[in-house]
Amino acid sequence: MEICISNELIHLRNDRISYVMGISDEGFVTHLYFGKRLESLNTVNIYRRFGLPESGKITLSGCQLDPSLNGLLLDRVPQEYPSFGLGDNRQGSLTVMQEDGTTTVDLRYVSAIVTEEKPKLSGLPATFGTNKTLLLTLFDALLQLEVELRYTIFDDCDAIARSAVLRNKGKQRLVITNAMSLSLDMPDANYDLLTLSGAWAREREWVRRPLVFGEQSVSTNYGASGHTTSPFLALLTPGTTETQGEVYAASLVYSGNFYAGVEVDRFRKARVRMGLNKDGFAWQLAGGDTFCTPEAVLVYSAHGLDGMSRQFHCICTNHLVRGQYAKAPRPILLNNWEATYFNFNEEKLLKIAQTAADVGIELFVLDDGWFGHRDNDTSSLGDWTTDLRKLPDGLPALSKKIHAMGLKFGLWFEPEMISPDSDLFRTHPDWCIHIDGRPNVESRHQLVLDLSRPEVCQHMYNAVARMLTDAKIDYVKWDMNRNFTCIGSSYLRRDQQMELPHRYMLGLYSVLERLTHDFPHVLFESCAGGGGRFDMGMLHYMPQTWCSDNTDALCRCEIQYDTSLIFPPFAMGAHVSAVPNHQTGRITPISTRGKVAMSGCFGYELDLNKLSADELEEVRKQIRFVKAHRMILLYGDFHRLLSPWEGKDTAWMAVSPDQKQAIFVLVRSHATAYEMPPLVKLQGLHPAFVYKIQETGECYTGAELMQFGLCCPLPDGDVASVSYVLEAVTEGEDQ
Ligand code: GLA
């Protein structure tokens, strides 16, 4: 990995990718190339493609129709951090208003330095680890605004992490109304755009469409990254499949309102942008102030979507998740939510926990309903004290009893919320996000705490920290169940109100940073009404996310399959639940429910005491299997094999890093008559290794399994499944 800086070019590269930018005579920083590694670059060709003079000379006053007449307008220049107002009329990366009300920004190159130590992105989650970072400084002399563009390149992942740091070096107050994390000007627009859409219980469904003229984007302004889409996009060369084609993709390390989009211009070139959603956003930058954009991770794959996911998974595994649970086995848990909902007492919980301990479960999680007087979702958020009607001996006593069974003990919190029916609200009615004079809009009977207020953040920290200490908590499910409305803060100044959504995120991140630092042994699982805040930002603090409130095995095939585009299995919470499924009413075999759940952080969400002896035996078998194979299931190279969107079969596999072990799973949505068993081409195996399939005793070379495929007879019935463990028995010659 190296970053080479010459007079005119800056070239970041590792063994596989290159990212090249140019510096023009006039100080404009151009984007020249991102993709497969280049040894050298003759820029004439690139300048020609963009209609630039071959010298690369860019002047501000030009002729729109014929650049050779008199310089050139910025309108066609591929730029690293384009702004509006100087002639580039495409969507920009930066808009800043000065005191006279004008919004033009003119950034010119000042310096480029390389650092081995990646500077912290103040208050924000970001990638870390062995890497090199380019700090590229630009300056607007009139605004006295310095913009430091940061580019980090990694040895082990084909990714560039980007962010921008804005510093007001002058005296006048500036207002930032748009500050992207990433802008990428492509030389053409011949791509499909892949984004994720969805809803509660249907998170992250993929949407693939050819780029067309104009802007196409996804964004949220819920206050969270949201259920309906994800801070992610990918450009795919035509015909790209799982294993073939070039992919340029980006994912934002942020959990709040975001924008991710592409604009195709009149020259049929695509500009990708990603960052904070500028709708509803305005940030006061007084003289001497600094503002950091969130970080965006840009990846390149020459090997289709599988290659793209490999890079994102590499970033998540090696450069994003921290703490003692990173790269460590995750405990098999039992969560009482779907087993009891709010209707439990200590006796009922202990009975479920005892059976859990008997079958080999390692962690018992007490979900919603243990605090205040919460018998349903209408009250008590904010009152994080034990409901002694349900747990008369208190939570510490329950925790002790659970621990005595040999189980770890986990607890549900929804710390960012406040119920109007709570002591906290009665004491501090102004602590919620609200607008004076407007009635509060409740959702799930609750309001959102105003985390722009330091005392609210402190209170939130204290409430959670006290419980973690008093009750010896080993795991926290950190939930967040509603979006923002009536966005106002009685703490912020009038001119800061549009800072609230981002300040909220900064407040949340500061609390998470403290809690994860002060309670390093606690495993945190992020949740937002299921997977409503599944993003790289939360993953920096919490190594796993509850994928969806939908626990139906068939729906989970879709949700987990699509989630795996960005996130590895260790990031996805997945549970076996009861049938008929509580979200869909579908009845599926327990073996299939187990196989689907074990492709994530495995657990159960049902009352084991209601299972038959046969089902309980199957549970024991599943737990033994997960304990034996969880490192491959969680951390092996994950490959999608058959898509649930393309047929009735979904298949995937995980391969150990040394390629000596693999686990394969196939699920068929519905039975059909008079058909051959499915044939699936495996991936990621060593072609010359001979693999023995444990379940059948049959042996095949990796080459056969990848080139001809594996034929998988399925049991009868709907939602049937099969799984195989493959072990390399001999290592043949390399082919
Ligand atoms: C959210 C979560 C669920 C459960 C409930 C409890 O919906 O996603 O898993 O914890 O809250 O109220």
Side-chain angles (χ1 to χ4, degrees), residues 293-313:
T293 72
E295 186 172 67
V297 176
L298 181 65
V299 307
Y300 169 75
S301 159
H303 305 287
L305 291 166
D306 182 76
M308 175 197 78
S309 299
R310 187 101 312 100
Q311 304 315 320
F312 280 133
H313 293 189

Side-chain angles (χ1 to χ4, degrees), residues 200 227 335 337-338 341-342 367-369 374 377 412 414 444 446 477 479-481 527-531 546 548-549 605:
W200 174 79
H227 287 95
N335 178 305
W337 179 240
E338 288 197 14
Y341 295 102
F342 295 100
D367 210 280
D368 197 354
R374 190 159 161 99
D377 61 13
W412 180 96
E414 198 179 353
R444 212 194 187 206
Q446 65 197 54
K477 179 174 171 188
D479 209 343
M480 194 274 193
N481 275 312
C527 174
W546 179 228
S548 176
D549 277 350
E605 189 150 337

Side-chain angles (χ1 to χ4, degrees), residues 61 73 80 86 108 134 249 278 293 315 325 327 342 382 404 408 415 426 436 449 456 478 491 518 573 650 686 719 732:
S61 38
L73 288 176
E80 277 302 319
L86 296 176
R108 306 292 177 109
L134 168 73
K278 70 181 165 72
T293 72
I315 287 285
Y325 279 100
K327 300 186 186 170
F342 295 100
K408 288 174 183 286
R426 284 182 279 274
D436 285 337
L449 281 171
V456 174
W478 184 291
Y491 170 77
D518 296 349
T650 309
H686 193 296
V719 205

Side-chain angles (χ1 to χ4, degrees), residues 551-620:
T551 56
D552 175 85
L554 209 48
C555 295
R556 275 301 187 112
C557 283
E558 294 169 357
I559 295 168
Q560 293 173 203
Y561 193 91
D562 293 353
T563 303
S564 78
L565 280 171
I566 317 168
F567 298 104
F570 75 74
M572 302 182 211
H575 301 168
V576 174
S577 60
V579 288
N581 177 269
H582 294 191
Q583 293 77 42
T584 61
R586 187 181 282 125
I587 293 177
T588 56
I590 192 160
S591 59
T592 298
R593 280 176 271 153
K595 289 185 183 85
V596 174
M598 67 180 62
S599 299
C601 295
F602 186 65
Y604 293 84
E605 189 150 337
L606 43 71
D607 187 346
L608 292 169
N609 300 312
K610 295 191 174 148
L611 297 187
S612 68
D614 283 354
E615 286 172 322
L616 219 46
E617 191 44 43
E618 171 66 22
V619 167
R620 283 200 182 87

